[in-house]
Amino acid sequence: MIIQHVEQLEMEFITDHEDLNTPYRMLAVIVLPEIMLLISQIVKSHGNRLTSRIEQDVILFLGDCMECIFRNQEEKIDSKITNFCRRYDMDEIGTDTDEISTIRGLSSITIQDVPLLAEMPRLKNRMKIAESLGHSDKLPKPHTWLSNMESIGRDRAIHHTLRLLQSFSKVMESTPSDQKILNRPGFFGPSPFRPERVRKIHGDLDEYLMANILPQWFLMCRNGIIGQARLPHESELCPLFVLLREYVQKPHKPVSWSLVFAVHALLTATLVDTAPVFNDLAYIGETVFQKYLQQLDHGTQLILNEQDTRHSESFAQNVFTVSFLKNLGIEILGRKALWNPLCASTTLLTLTYFGNIEAGCALIDCRAQLRITLHLFHALKNCALIREGDIPILDRLNEYFKSSRGVWEGPLPKRGEFVKRFWICFGMSAKESKQMSEEAKIAIITRKFSNITNK
């Protein structure tokens, strides 16, 4: 519910402030107000093609430059500076000012606030140089941009999570579809699952996110069931999975605040539940998952004893769906990625819903109950004997299964073929189904003639 609420707030915010449609443009407004003001003044003083959108364009310019840094694409900043200066036809004095040149140093400012482990040596060297020159007090400490926000600043800096996610998107974009992402253990930091308790998200959980969570969810969303399955109301049911799937399938897009918040919540839960408590939670989640599948296997065995369903094509399709759900639990996906508190609860909720809609058909349609109901409902609607909205639960069932080949064996039947198509879906041959249809027509004609005679 909270993730969904954040998504809604983000959409409303973007609707009201179209220029702030990426996290980087919003960060530029929050953390670079002085630079924004100076660049605006330079444009007004040295630009030969002024517009009423100078302030807005400066926000876009700084935010997009910051995005290049978060994507590890600093080489693109020079071209953005050139395009910006060309847009306002700035003279040589304006182009060469210190403030415009400062944009090229925005990379150092950003890395100073959200450094990765590999960048720490360079950061420490800068601090030593500043100390030797007596300017150590002028060099800001890391993670000070949102320091006044306790839950998303300092030791829990949410923009650090943003940088990790955006950096990983570049890796996903360059990874072929038939390959998985391999990590180098320890590249992003120590494992959080060590004897001493972790104290902060940045640094302590970088390795967990970049080496465990994201590579395994990348595999899950690109090649697994989460990337393939589409559920009704899934944005309400499992917003975390929906956000992760879009993130994996569209790595070229800027990361959204909604995804950053969701992953940050995941890391926060891990921060609280590391060491033995986390392992216990992961074990409970995995155990419940296995129990769920055991129930489905038991139901499958019961259905296999039914002669009518053993050779049904729709049953075979449903059994395959049930077995496909087991892919969620294979070891390659990793316990830590799959069974952390937030992911485990979302996974189990999704499985229950998915099973009720798709795999559940195997349990409730063993004697064609579902097919009989939906075929009759469809025929009554087409004959105008019932209208949409008269029976809401059947409207929902019809919507969920309207594209299911197990129920319809193709497109929805038209008038004149209701009986024939039903018997085909029941498992009869085309010849037998046609014969049943003819018998039904004869029965209807006989019934009408009988009624006329009796009158």
Side-chain angles (χ1 to χ4, degrees):
M1 289 293 290
I2 296 177
I3 296 175
Q4 184 186 359
H5 184 57
V6 171
E7 277 191 282
Q8 183 178 354
L9 290 175
E10 183 177 19
M11 291 175 62
E12 292 174 356
F13 181 83
I14 292 174
T15 301
D16 295 336
H17 307 278
E18 295 180 1
D19 293 328
L20 303 180
N21 59 349
T22 71
Y24 312 101
R25 294 173 178 177
M26 188 186 300
L27 274 177
V29 173
I30 296 172
V31 303
L32 302 175
E34 296 86 358
I35 297 178
M36 284 175 50
L37 180 60
L38 287 172
I39 293 178
S40 297
Q41 292 172 348
I42 292 169
V43 172
K44 292 175 182 178
S45 301
H46 301 280
N48 298 311
R49 195 185 299 135
L50 302 182
T51 70
S52 59
R53 280 187 48 90
I54 293 176
E55 286 76 13
Q56 292 93 325
D57 286 343
V58 171
I59 291 173
L60 302 185
F61 169 56
L62 284 175
D64 293 348
C65 287
M66 188 180 292
E67 182 178 346
C68 290
I69 300 165
F70 274 67
R71 288 180 178 273
N72 299 323
Q73 296 175 334
E74 292 91 336
E75 68 278 0
K76 293 186 177 182
I77 292 179
D78 281 342
S79 64
K80 291 189 178 295
I81 293 175
T82 301
N83 292 336
F84 180 77
C85 293
R86 188 179 297 154
R87 176 183 176 86
Y88 284 98
D89 192 19
M90 293 174 62
D91 57 34
E92 291 183 4
I93 297 176
T95 304
D96 293 336
T97 54
D98 292 339
E99 286 75 16
I100 292 293
S101 300
T102 299
I103 304 303
R104 295 184 177 89
L106 189 60
S107 175
S108 298
I109 298 173
T110 303
I111 292 173
Q112 180 72 31
D113 202 82
V114 283
L116 302 180
L117 181 66
E119 298 163 342
M120 288 303 295
R122 186 177 17 153
L123 186 61
K124 290 179 180 178
N125 286 334
R126 289 183 59 199
M127 295 179 69
K128 287 181 179 179
I129 294 173
E131 288 177 4
S132 65
L133 298 174
H135 300 315
S136 58
D137 57 325
K138 296 181 181 179
L139 199 63
K141 295 181 179 179
H143 306 102
T144 58
W145 279 357
L146 304 176
S147 57
N148 60 328
M149 303 180 186
E150 182 179 353
S151 299
I152 59 173
R154 293 191 179 277
D155 288 348
R156 300 189 178 192
I158 195 169
H159 54 295
H160 186 85
T161 304
L162 169 63
R163 188 179 181 204
L164 292 174
L165 286 169
Q166 198 68 78
S167 298
F168 194 81
S169 67
K170 183 181 178 183
V171 177
M172 293 191 297
E173 198 168 4
S174 61
T175 301
S177 59
D178 59 344
Q179 293 182 14
K180 64 179 182 179
I181 296 174
L182 300 176
N183 62 286
R184 286 185 287 167
F187 181 79
F188 292 96
S191 169
F193 308 101
R194 55 190 191 277
E196 64 272 19
R197 184 179 176 84
V198 298
R199 297 295 180 183
K200 56 188 185 301
I201 288 179
H202 66 80
D204 286 353
L205 294 181
D206 289 6
E207 178 78 3
Y208 173 60
L209 178 63
M210 300 294 278
N212 287 281
I213 293 284
L214 294 181
Q216 291 157 5
W217 280 110
F218 165 78
L219 178 65
M220 187 82 141
C221 293
R222 177 176 279 192
N223 302 314
I225 192 172
I226 299 303
Q228 305 298 325
R230 296 294 187 274
L231 294 173
H233 311 295
E234 63 180 4
S235 60
E236 302 171 17
L237 174 74
C238 49
L240 174 63
F241 286 173
V242 174
L243 290 169
L244 283 169
R245 183 173 64 211
E246 184 177 6
Y247 169 64
V248 170
Q249 295 179 350
K250 300 177 181 179
H252 59 281
K253 292 184 62 176
V255 175
S256 67
W257 274 125
S258 303
L259 175 64
V260 177
F261 173 83
V263 175
H264 204 68
L266 185 155
L267 295 176
T268 302
T270 307
L271 185 69
V272 175
D273 296 317
T274 50
V277 177
F278 180 90
N279 290 329
D280 290 344
L281 286 172
Y283 173 76
I284 292 171
E286 188 175 12
T287 301
V288 172
F289 175 78
Q290 296 302 332
K291 292 288 186 183
Y292 176 88
L293 289 177
Q294 287 174 14
Q295 292 179 47
L296 289 179
D297 287 339
H298 179 66
T300 301
Q301 291 302 318
L302 292 177
I303 293 173
L304 282 171
N305 293 328
E306 298 284 347
Q307 294 294 328
D308 295 339
T309 61
R310 191 177 299 174
H311 304 294
S312 167
E313 291 185 10
S314 64
F315 172 72
Q317 176 189 8
N318 291 329
V319 169
F320 173 75
T321 304
V322 173
S323 62
F324 193 43
L325 294 177
K326 296 179 181 179
N327 291 337
L328 277 171
I330 58 178
E331 289 187 12
I332 193 172
L333 296 174
R335 257 179 106 191
K336 295 171 185 175
L338 191 61
W339 301 121
N340 61 73
L342 182 60
C343 290
S345 58
T346 305
T347 299
L348 294 170
L349 182 60
T350 303
L351 276 174
T352 302
Y353 195 53
F354 183 79
N356 287 340
I357 292 176
E358 296 291 343
C361 182
L363 306 179
I364 66 174
D365 198 40
C366 58
R367 291 188 179 275
Q369 301 97 311
L370 182 65
R371 281 165 285 171
I372 290 172
T373 302
L374 291 182
H375 275 260
L376 180 59
F377 179 65
H378 176 71
L380 291 173
K381 281 178 62 179
N382 273 265
C383 295
L385 297 176
I386 193 171
R387 293 178 297 178
E388 187 171 350
D390 289 348
I391 311 177
I393 188 172
L394 291 184
D395 288 331
R396 291 198 295 272
L397 274 175
N398 189 60
E399 178 66 22
Y400 293 155
F401 290 99
K402 66 181 181 182
S403 301
S404 172
R405 292 187 61 84
V407 174
W408 305 106
E409 288 294 334
L412 297 178
K414 301 176 183 178
R415 294 190 68 166
E417 60 180 20
F418 293 138
V419 176
K420 176 184 174 183
R421 289 287 303 283
F422 168 74
W423 287 113
I424 289 176
C425 293
F426 196 76
M428 286 189 175
S429 66
K431 182 178 179 180
E432 291 172 325
S433 299
K434 184 177 181 180
Q435 182 179 346
M436 294 293 288
S437 178
E438 294 299 328
E439 290 179 3
K441 289 179 182 178
I442 293 172
I444 292 172
I445 294 172
T446 303
R447 178 79 175 270
K448 287 182 178 180
F449 181 78
S450 176
N451 290 336
I452 294 172
T453 303
N454 292 334
K455 288 181 180 179

